[in-house]
């Protein structure tokens, strides 16, 4: 199983590192660290993380986006969200090598909570690379590719479908449809992967590898999942693409997921 995102003892390894950041993105990472520190002082910010293709070393200039997570000392406020939006806009406008910036805000208490142990906790410990502050992963357990992890990470796809349908119906521009197709496709591919993750016996965030792993167990849907992986990398403005994802593959996947792993625990 070594080589499938696991260490020699079968634990999921942290997938990113600052040492893996491609040279074209080092300035982006440095600026994101600086802008975050300027906007959130140590009394407000517990720690900051970068995740996604940039710390995995697979980012493509002009195509990849920048993803950050900020752990705050108390629950996020509207002022915090406004500050995060300003950072997003500033970085996106300053660096042509990134196509969009997204910042997630949570309190450190939420990230360390028992309810989030196998969702946001796993996300921080295994999928996020420390950028500022004390690493919350030191207070979290290690993880294996179990049915519990599968259920708590992606066992709520059915709850996302109605909102995606609404957004698709209201989208009037190619830009809106591209953005939505990327979001939906990535979520569906990752859900497809975690559906089979315990049987596959490992971890990956690579969209193509995720789709291929899914196809080993659901060959009748393999072609659709590979198309979704392609859309996750190269979004499409074609309405029919969203229809296939949201009204065909998505509902089937949501139902199959509940059958195999059950539903994710409801959050307050």
């Amino acid at each position: 199983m070594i080589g499938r995102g696991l260490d020699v003892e079968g634990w999921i390894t942290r997938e990113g590192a600052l040492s893996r950041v491609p040279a074209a993105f080092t300035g982006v990472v440095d600026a994101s660290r600086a802008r975050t520190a300027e906007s959130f002082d140590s009394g407000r910010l517990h720690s900051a993380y970068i995740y996604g293709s940039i710390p995995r070393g697979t980012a493509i200039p002009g195509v990849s986006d920048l993803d950050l997570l900020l752990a705050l000392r108390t629950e996020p406020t509207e002022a915090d969200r406004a500050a995060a939006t300003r950072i997003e806009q500033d970085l996106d406008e300053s660096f042509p090598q990134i196509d969009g910036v997204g910042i997630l805000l949570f309190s450190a208490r939420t990230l360390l909570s028992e309810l989030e142990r196998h969702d946001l906790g796993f996300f921080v410990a295994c999928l996020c690379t420390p950028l500022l502050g004390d690493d919350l992963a030191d207070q979290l357990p290690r993880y294996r590719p179990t049915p519990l992890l599968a259920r708590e990470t992606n066992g709520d796809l059915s709850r996302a479908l109605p909102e995606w349908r609404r957004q698709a119906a209201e989208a009037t521009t190619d830009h809106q449809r591209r953005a939505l197709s990327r979001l939906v496709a990535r979520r569906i591919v990752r859900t497809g992967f975690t559906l089979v993750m315990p049987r596959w016996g490992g971890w990956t965030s690579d969209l193509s590898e995720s789709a291929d792993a899914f196809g080993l167990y659901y060959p009748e849907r393999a072609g659709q999942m590979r198309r979704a992986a392609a859309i996750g990398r190269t979004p499409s403005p074609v309405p029919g693409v969203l229809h296939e994802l949201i009204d065909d593959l998505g509902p089937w996947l949501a139902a199959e997921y509940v059958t195999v792993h059950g539903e994710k625990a409801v959050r307050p």
Side-chain angles (χ1 to χ4, degrees), residues 13 59 62 64 71 145 149 168 186:
T13 59
S64 298
L149 185 63
R186 290 181 177 186

Side-chain angles (χ1 to χ4, degrees), residues 175-235:
H175 175 75
Q176 290 173 325
R177 284 186 283 268
R178 283 194 184 94
L180 184 59
S181 71
R182 177 161 67 176
L183 182 153
V184 172
R186 290 181 177 186
R187 173 71 183 277
I188 283 179
V189 173
R190 287 164 182 158
T191 301
F193 169 70
T194 52
L195 171 64
V196 304
M197 174 186 65
R199 285 182 283 175
W200 192 70
W203 177 267
T204 181
S205 286
D206 181 86
L207 294 177
S208 294
E209 189 173 22
S210 295
D212 288 343
F214 169 87
L216 294 174
Y217 304 93
Y218 294 93
E220 70 281 6
R221 293 274 182 172
Q224 281 186 301
M225 194 62 75
R226 291 191 182 100
R227 287 195 295 276
I231 295 302
R233 294 188 301 272
T234 308

Side-chain angles (χ1 to χ4, degrees), residues 223-256:
Q224 281 186 301
M225 194 62 75
R226 291 191 182 100
R227 287 195 295 276
I231 295 302
R233 294 188 301 272
T234 308
S236 171
V238 178
V241 168
L242 283 171
H243 173 71
E244 180 181 14
L245 292 171
I246 298 172
D247 297 316
D248 183 8
L249 183 56
W252 171 85
L253 181 59
E256 182 68 8

Side-chain angles (χ1 to χ4, degrees), residues 98-260:
I98 52 175
D99 181 20
V101 180
I103 298 179
L104 300 177
L105 296 175
F106 294 99
S107 69
R109 183 181 66 178
T110 294
L111 295 170
L112 293 174
S113 67
E114 185 63 31
L115 183 62
E116 295 294 345
R117 184 61 49 86
H118 288 84
D119 187 13
L120 291 175
F122 164 73
F123 180 64
V124 170
C126 295
L127 308 187
C128 288
T129 297
L131 197 60
L132 282 168
D134 296 329
D135 187 4
L136 287 173
D138 294 339
Q139 302 179 57
L140 290 162
R142 304 184 75 185
Y143 296 87
R144 297 187 190 276
T146 62
L148 172 61
L149 185 63
R151 185 183 75 236
E152 290 304 302
T153 51
N154 286 301
D156 58 349
L157 180 62
S158 62
R159 300 172 203 168
L161 292 171
E163 175 60 17
W164 290 345
R165 290 192 185 99
R166 183 193 66 78
Q167 292 182 36
E170 295 178 359
T172 58
T173 67
D174 284 353
H175 175 75
Q176 290 173 325
R177 284 186 283 268
R178 283 194 184 94
L180 184 59
S181 71
R182 177 161 67 176
L183 182 153
V184 172
R186 290 181 177 186
R187 173 71 183 277
I188 283 179
V189 173
R190 287 164 182 158
T191 301
F193 169 70
T194 52
L195 171 64
V196 304
M197 174 186 65
R199 285 182 283 175
W200 192 70
W203 177 267
T204 181
S205 286
D206 181 86
L207 294 177
S208 294
E209 189 173 22
S210 295
D212 288 343
F214 169 87
L216 294 174
Y217 304 93
Y218 294 93
E220 70 281 6
R221 293 274 182 172
Q224 281 186 301
M225 194 62 75
R226 291 191 182 100
R227 287 195 295 276
I231 295 302
R233 294 188 301 272
T234 308
S236 171
V238 178
V241 168
L242 283 171
H243 173 71
E244 180 181 14
L245 292 171
I246 298 172
D247 297 316
D248 183 8
L249 183 56
W252 171 85
L253 181 59
E256 182 68 8
Y257 213 97
V258 171
T259 298
V260 174

